[in-house]
């Protein structure tokens, strides 16, 4: 098991059956962009310079799905996307252009669709209960709900899909042959119950229909996080693995698919076992995992994968381009803004972002919290263990709940990786030092330190899965929407309490990645980022001018009040702060996009409103505020001016992040459309269809971008760096000594990357002046972006970066 405190250890790189990608391009397949559309885009993507197309999930999903993570049928490629014939046609076209395909795999869950008949395995379980051959597919705790009236000891599944309590909707339930209908729901009936009176019919089913609000406390199937419409699949079962992966493995064996991205491995019962089974089935194909690494946590070295999907790279690249001192001052200004001008409390301990994260975790597992049902499952298992073994008896349910909440709240990373039969120590999870005997018991059970039994093994597995859900929902999807000092810091795997990264630490991480995971993906924008890389690049400039920005935000709020009157009663100042940041990040933006992003943020924060308990008055006030701002010509002019003032510094950040992404160790994964500036917000805003045909046209004249044309500058930089990567390995990573505001490194003997960092501070200091960068001997060197030549040895940075704020230098003829 690998913990946050474990030092990095070199590991041998696995050799996949086909070469690892030099770069991949993520395509979001959906009814508006099908496999046939992807096929039409192949010539452009080949010309751009990637080696692999990275496809979102391919198996049949719920009708109209725009993301594909709601699988309903593992036996076929989605007909909505064009089916298997269209996928094979895409592969053939890609191969003709020298490209290969990677596919996103969703091993954790399936959809609970409407109508339910779309998921045939689930339909059969609902009809036949625990006797169904598909019952082993789904992670259902049959002991948690009494079974049908004639078999109460067998258990049944809670289906929390009713709009009100059962008694209030009985007249909306209709029996139609072998189906029970409720609006669009179509639930199978247990054979032989079709003609029973409705109350008796309901009592005899293998499922219990319930009000949707009961899911928090009584749900007895494991979900994907807190999404009731996604039911967990037991991929740890070899038969389930074989059935749910058969199509993808066949397509891999046929050469259609060359590798896989594994969605949310922390939701798996046994990530290492799953990945080993996948490696065996594919002969060691290229595989990356969407593993979120927190702090200094490292990817487990015994996982047979190429690496992660790149959130660890995103955090480091953003970090080295963020001013840590300014970010802290901005956090202070934010606290002052929230208090209407009053100074912040200097005694904050811990940092407000840390406190928000802990509070978010605690609320997930507290009484009535969104993950209470998962905690209750662990309590039931612990009580069974106590009943079977006197040494572990006499722990009251309330004590077990309290101990579990403490552990889940304080656990610093996503989950432990203890496995039944392999007891492990974890410095992040106290055992002997737990606060009380009950705490010591649950910690020891979580680490499989008390021997083995069916219940002990299950506790170990379910604790890890619950810990991952608590981290994801309590931190990323709660705390990161509550503490908005610099929203650019609030990305997946981020640490807003520790903003910025010194260049030396960045170089150390790059060397670690090269040594331990040389083929790991790196990413800047994904389908899950809350703000795209270029939106974050703008916001990063604000960290360099915290006082000026705080004054501007206060002035905008005052102007908004003068124009439209004070904010509606109850509309908090945090909403204004988030509003101004969102406008700057995504400018220009339509009212509908702005309102959708703000509403999602406040619902996820769960302070004034939420998805399950919406406050219509608050949400209406927020929407009116946002639309009024966009209707105020005076305010719009001020926002335009501010974005224009930020533009030269945001340009430097955008191009620096892009070049780092494309030249550090690892495999850069480009999100669709990000080869040009992309100012998108949280999903679904970032999952729209991209006009790749228009990009193909612009690529033809991007080789000589006009000054000030950031779109073509970024496209030119991206294509240049991608083709350099495709021409051959870049070579060993070596940091280069660089003056302040410059980050530079060599790749082998023939490539040098140099980028500007903290550009506003550079301008405030008077520019580069006489700063020089010592280029390695053996020149001459050519900047592949400007095509200007430079000799080896000391080069004035002002001359080197006269055309662009970045340089990609090569020895011509490498």
């Amino acid at each position: 098991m690998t913990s946050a405190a474990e030092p990095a250890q070199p590991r041998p790189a696995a050799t996949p059956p086909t070469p690892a990608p030099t770069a991949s391009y993520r395509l979001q397949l959906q009814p508006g962009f099908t496999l046939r559309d992807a096929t039409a885009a192949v010539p452009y993507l080949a010309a751009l310079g990637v080696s692999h197309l990275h496809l979102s999930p391919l198996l049949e999903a719920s009708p109209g799905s725009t993301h594909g993570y709601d699988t309903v049928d593992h036996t076929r490629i989605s007909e909505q996307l064009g089916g298997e014939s269209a996928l094979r046609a895409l592969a053939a076209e890609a191969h003709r252009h020298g490209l290969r395909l990677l596919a996103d795999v969703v091993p954790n869950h399936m959809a609970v669709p409407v109508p339910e008949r779309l998921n045939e395995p689930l339909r059969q379980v609902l009809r036949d209960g625990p006797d169904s051959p598909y019952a082993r597919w789904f992670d259902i705790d049959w002991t948690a709900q009494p079974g049908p009236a004639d078999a109460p000891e067998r258990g049944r599944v809670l289906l929390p899909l009713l709009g009100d309590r059962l008694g209030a909707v009985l007249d909306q339930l209709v029996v139609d042959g072998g189906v029970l209908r409720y609006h669009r729901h179509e639930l199978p009936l247990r054979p032989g119950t079709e003609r029973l009176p409705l109350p008796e019919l309901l009592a005899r089913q293998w499922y219990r229909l319930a009000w949707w609000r009961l899911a928090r406390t009584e749900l007895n199937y494991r979900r994907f996080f807190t999404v009731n419409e996604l039911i967990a699949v037991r991929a740890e079962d070899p038969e389930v693995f074989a059935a749910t992966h058969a199509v993808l493995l066949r397509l891999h064996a046929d050469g259609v698919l060359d590798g896989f991205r594994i969605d949310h491995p922390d939701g798996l019962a046994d990530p290492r076992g799953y990945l080993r089974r996948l490696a065996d089935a594919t002969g060691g194909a290229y595989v990356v995992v969407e593993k979120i690494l927190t702090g200094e946590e490292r990817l487990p070295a015994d996982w047979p994968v190429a690496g992660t999907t790149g959130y660890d790279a995103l955090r480091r690249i953003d970090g080295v381009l963020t001013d840590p001192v300014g970010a802290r001052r901005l956090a202070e200004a934010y606290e002052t803004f929230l208090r209407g001008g009053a100074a912040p409390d200097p005694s904050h301990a811990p940092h407000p972002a840390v406190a928000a994260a802990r509070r978010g975790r605690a609320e997930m597992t507290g009484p009535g919290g969104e993950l209470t049902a998962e905690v209750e499952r662990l309590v039931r298992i612990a009580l069974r263990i106590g009943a079977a073994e006197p040494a572990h008896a006499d722990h009251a349910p309330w004590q077990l709940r309290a101990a579990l909440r403490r552990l889940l709240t304080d656990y610093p990373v996503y989950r432990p990786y203890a496995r039944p039969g392999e007891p492990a120590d974890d410095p992040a999870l106290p055992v002997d030092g737990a606060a009380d005997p009950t705490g010591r018991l649950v910690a020891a059970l979580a680490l499989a330190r008390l021997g083995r039994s069916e219940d002990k093994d299950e506790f170990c597995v379910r604790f890890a899965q619950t810990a991952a859900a608590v981290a994801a929902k309590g931190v990323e999807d709660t705390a990161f929407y509550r503490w908005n000092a610099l929203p650019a810091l609030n990305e997946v795997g981020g640490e807003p309490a520790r903003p910025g990264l010194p260049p030396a630490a960045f170089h150390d991480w790059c060397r670690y990645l090269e040594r331990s995971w040389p083929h790991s993906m790196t990413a800047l924008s994904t389908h899950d980022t809350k703000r795209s890389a270029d939106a974050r690049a703008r916001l990063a400039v604000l960290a360099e001018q915290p006082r000026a920005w705080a004054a501007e935000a206060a002035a905008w709020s005052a102007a908004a009040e003068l124009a439209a009157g004070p904010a509606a009663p109850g509309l908090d100042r945090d909403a204004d702060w988030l509003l101004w940041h969102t406008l700057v990040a995504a400018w220009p933006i339509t009212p509908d996009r702005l309102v959708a992003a703000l509403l999602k943020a406040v619902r996820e924060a769960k302070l004034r409103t939420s998805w399950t308990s919406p406050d219509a008055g608050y949400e209406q006030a927020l929407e009116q505020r946002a639309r009024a701002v966009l209707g105020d010509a005076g305010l719009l002019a001020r926002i335009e001016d501010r974005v224009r003032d930020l533009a030269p510094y945001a340009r430097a950040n955008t191009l620096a992040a892009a070049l780092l992404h494309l030249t550090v160790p690892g495999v850069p994964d480009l999100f669709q459309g990000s080869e040009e500036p992309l100012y998108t917000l949280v999903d679904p805003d970032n999952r729209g269809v991209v006009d790749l045909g228009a990009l193909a046209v612009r690529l033809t004249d991007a080789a000589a971008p006009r000054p000030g044309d950031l779109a073509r500058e970024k496209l030119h930089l991206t294509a240049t760096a991608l083709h350099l990567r495709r021409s051959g390995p870049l070579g060993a990573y070596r940091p280069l000594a660089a003056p302040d505001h410059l980050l530079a490194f060599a790749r082998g003997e023939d490539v040098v990357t140099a980028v500007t960092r903290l550009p506003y501070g550079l301008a405030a200091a008077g520019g580069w002046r006489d700063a020089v960068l010592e280029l390695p001997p053996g020149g001459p060197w050519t900047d592949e972006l400007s095509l200007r030549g430079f000799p080896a040895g000391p080069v004035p940075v002002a001359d080197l970066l006269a055309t662009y704020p970045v340089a990609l230098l090569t020895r011509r003829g490498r």
Side-chain angles (χ1 to χ4, degrees):
M1 179 177 60
T2 303
S3 72
E6 183 177 332
Q9 296 294 329
R11 61 180 292 281
T15 302
T18 56
T22 61
S24 55
Y25 191 98
R26 170 76 175 201
L27 292 171
Q28 288 297 116
L29 301 169
Q30 53 187 291
F33 186 88
T34 67
L35 291 161
R36 295 183 181 90
D37 297 309
T39 302
V42 165
Y44 160 66
L45 296 172
L48 184 64
V50 299
S51 66
H52 287 63
L53 307 187
H54 175 189
L55 307 177
S56 59
L58 292 167
L59 299 175
E60 193 69 73
S62 294
S65 176
T66 59
H67 51 77
Y69 290 99
D70 44 357
T71 307
V72 296
D73 188 347
H74 290 94
T75 67
R76 56 188 174 136
I77 299 299
S78 172
E79 297 299 333
Q80 301 175 82
L81 302 180
E84 185 171 325
S85 62
L87 176 60
R88 288 182 176 273
L90 169 60
E93 178 71 357
H95 294 170
R96 280 194 290 272
H97 286 80
L99 306 183
R100 297 283 172 173
L101 305 185
L102 307 176
D104 199 338
V105 181
V106 189
N108 289 285
H109 56 265
M110 293 184 74
V112 181
V114 180
E116 288 74 8
R117 59 179 167 75
L118 295 174
N119 184 336
E120 178 59 21
L122 179 61
R123 189 193 72 83
Q124 291 199 32
V125 171
L126 296 178
R127 185 191 65 193
D128 300 327
D131 293 328
S132 167
Y134 288 104
R136 66 190 302 168
W137 274 46
F138 301 106
D139 189 0
I140 299 168
D141 182 4
W142 294 98
T143 68
Q145 292 285 333
D150 59 332
E153 74 287 352
R154 302 295 306 281
R156 56 180 172 173
V157 183
L158 182 79
L159 291 183
L161 52 83
L162 300 179
D164 203 339
R165 292 176 175 85
L166 178 61
V169 299
L170 277 173
D171 61 344
Q172 300 172 34
L173 301 175
V174 177
V175 176
D176 181 7
V179 174
L180 177 64
R181 300 186 186 277
Y182 173 71
H183 298 290
R184 293 178 53 239
H185 295 276
E186 298 179 9
L187 300 162
L189 293 176
R190 185 178 173 190
T193 64
E194 299 88 344
R195 300 183 182 278
L196 295 175
L198 184 60
E200 186 178 351
L201 179 147
L202 293 175
R204 295 279 298 276
Q205 302 310 312
W206 291 111
Y207 50 84
R208 172 192 162 198
L209 292 183
W211 188 27
W212 65 271
R213 287 189 178 276
L214 296 185
R216 284 190 173 192
T217 55
E218 297 189 43
L219 196 71
N220 64 325
Y221 62 81
R222 190 167 58 84
R223 305 165 284 180
F224 175 75
F225 297 155
T226 59
V227 184
N228 299 339
E229 295 78 18
L230 296 175
I231 184 171
V233 172
R234 298 182 63 248
E236 66 272 20
D237 186 303
E239 291 185 21
V240 177
F241 175 92
T244 56
H245 289 66
V247 169
L248 296 176
L249 293 176
R250 173 172 56 78
L251 290 166
H252 175 266
D254 290 349
V256 175
L257 301 175
D258 285 88
F260 301 103
R261 170 204 187 265
I262 306 304
D263 182 63
H264 187 46
D266 280 336
L268 296 166
D270 178 12
R272 186 187 73 185
Y274 168 87
L275 294 167
R276 286 181 175 177
R277 185 172 289 118
L278 182 64
D280 289 343
T282 62
Y286 180 82
V287 171
V288 290
V289 288
E290 190 208 20
K291 170 67 186 124
I292 311 306
L293 300 169
T294 305
E296 299 307 312
E297 182 188 18
R298 302 300 189 192
L299 190 64
D302 58 358
W303 286 12
V305 297
T308 74
T309 56
Y311 287 108
D312 44 335
L314 182 156
R315 177 158 58 95
R316 268 73 177 203
I317 293 172
D318 276 8
V320 80
L321 300 178
T322 299
D323 180 2
V325 175
R328 292 187 182 95
R329 288 176 178 162
L330 189 58
E332 294 170 1
Y334 166 67
E335 296 288 326
T336 300
F337 182 90
L338 296 187
R339 289 165 177 76
D345 181 357
S347 65
H348 272 308
H351 188 281
V354 176
R358 289 182 180 172
R359 187 168 64 252
R361 282 174 175 250
E363 289 173 8
M364 288 297 111
T365 58
E370 292 186 64
L371 292 168
T372 300
E374 284 73 10
V375 173
E376 289 301 305
R377 183 173 186 174
L378 290 168
V379 169
R380 290 194 297 272
I381 300 169
L383 290 172
R384 291 201 300 267
I385 293 170
E389 300 186 25
H392 307 311
D394 294 336
H395 294 275
W398 69 266
Q399 293 174 310
L400 291 165
R401 291 187 192 98
L404 282 164
R405 288 170 188 151
R406 282 196 302 271
L407 285 171
L408 292 167
T409 297
D410 294 339
Y411 196 68
V413 293
Y414 259 58
R415 62 169 275 177
Y417 290 103
R419 301 176 74 251
E422 299 180 15
D425 291 321
D426 184 348
L429 187 61
V431 179
D432 297 333
D436 54 68
T438 306
R440 289 192 289 274
L441 171 67
V442 296
L445 288 172
L447 294 182
R449 293 187 58 177
L450 296 178
R452 299 197 65 181
S453 69
E454 183 176 346
D455 284 328
K456 290 176 182 177
D457 290 355
E458 183 178 5
F459 189 98
C460 175
V461 167
R462 302 308 174 209
F463 178 88
Q465 292 172 316
T466 303
V470 169
K473 295 303 297 181
V475 179
E476 292 168 17
D477 290 346
T478 300
F480 282 6
Y481 286 101
R482 290 181 174 181
W483 196 78
N484 292 305
L486 185 57
L489 301 176
N490 294 354
E491 285 302 338
V492 176
E495 291 187 291
R498 296 200 299 173
L501 186 72
F506 178 82
H507 291 312
D508 287 345
W509 177 80
C510 288
R511 287 181 289 199
Y512 159 75
L513 193 69
E514 178 181 60
R515 181 175 66 249
S516 298
W517 305 97
H519 303 303
S520 182
M521 273 187 177
T522 60
L524 284 182
S525 296
T526 77
H527 60 286
D528 278 332
T529 44
K530 293 178 173 64
R531 294 161 189 88
S532 60
D534 302 314
R536 302 195 307 272
R538 277 186 185 160
L539 295 180
V541 182
L542 303 181
E544 294 195 72
Q545 39 186 253
R547 292 188 177 88
W549 169 244
E552 187 77 8
W556 290 0
S557 290
E561 290 180 7
L562 284 174
L571 194 61
D572 50 303
R573 290 178 64 83
D574 190 52
D576 259 11
W577 184 270
L578 181 62
L579 168 62
W580 306 135
H581 277 81
T582 304
L583 285 167
V584 168
W587 191 262
I589 186 171
T590 64
D592 288 347
R593 286 182 63 211
L594 176 62
V595 168
L598 292 174
L599 288 179
K600 178 163 185 173
V602 296
R603 288 168 180 167
E604 294 285 5
K606 294 176 276 289
L607 292 173
R608 303 299 304 274
T609 187
S610 70
W611 297 106
T612 56
S613 298
D615 183 328
Y618 177 84
E619 293 188 359
Q620 184 179 19
L622 180 62
E623 179 172 353
Q624 289 175 345
R625 180 75 153 185
R627 292 186 183 277
V629 165
L630 289 180
D632 185 323
L635 260 178
L636 291 186
R638 295 187 68 161
I639 296 167
E640 286 268 15
D641 288 344
R642 187 64 178 177
V643 173
R644 188 180 303 112
D645 291 343
L646 295 173
Y649 314 113
R651 168 182 176 254
N653 284 342
T654 280
L655 296 179
L659 189 56
L660 292 177
H661 180 214
L662 294 167
T663 56
V664 296
V667 174
D669 183 47
L670 281 74
F671 189 63
Q672 59 179 25
S674 66
E675 60 268 45
E676 288 190 339
L678 190 65
Y679 301 101
T680 55
L681 302 170
V682 69
D683 67 275
D685 189 64
N686 59 4
R687 296 181 183 180
V689 173
V690 174
D691 188 348
L692 297 181
L695 279 167
V697 172
R698 292 195 289 273
L699 181 63
T700 61
D701 65 346
R706 296 183 294 275
D709 188 344
L710 180 57
R712 282 173 171 77
E713 286 181 337
K714 189 180 183 190
L715 184 57
H716 169 55
L717 179 154
T718 301
T720 301
L722 288 173
H723 282 279
L724 179 64
R725 293 186 67 94
R726 289 208 71 175
S727 68
L730 293 185
Y733 185 93
R734 186 173 81 258
L736 297 179
D740 290 345
H741 297 283
L742 189 72
L743 181 73
F745 54 84
R747 296 300 310 271
E749 300 300 321
D750 300 316
V751 177
V752 167
T753 288
V755 306
T756 302
R757 58 184 299 268
L758 313 186
Y760 181 82
L762 172 65
W768 293 113
R769 300 188 180 185
D770 57 356
V772 298
L773 174 66
E774 186 82 25
L775 293 179
W781 293 88
T782 299
D783 177 15
E784 298 292 338
L785 303 178
S786 66
L787 298 181
R788 298 172 62 227
F790 299 92
V795 173
V797 178
D799 185 26
L800 177 66
L801 303 184
T803 306
Y804 298 100
V806 301
L808 176 59
L809 300 153
T810 69
R811 301 180 200 271
R812 281 287 181 165
R814 69 185 288 269

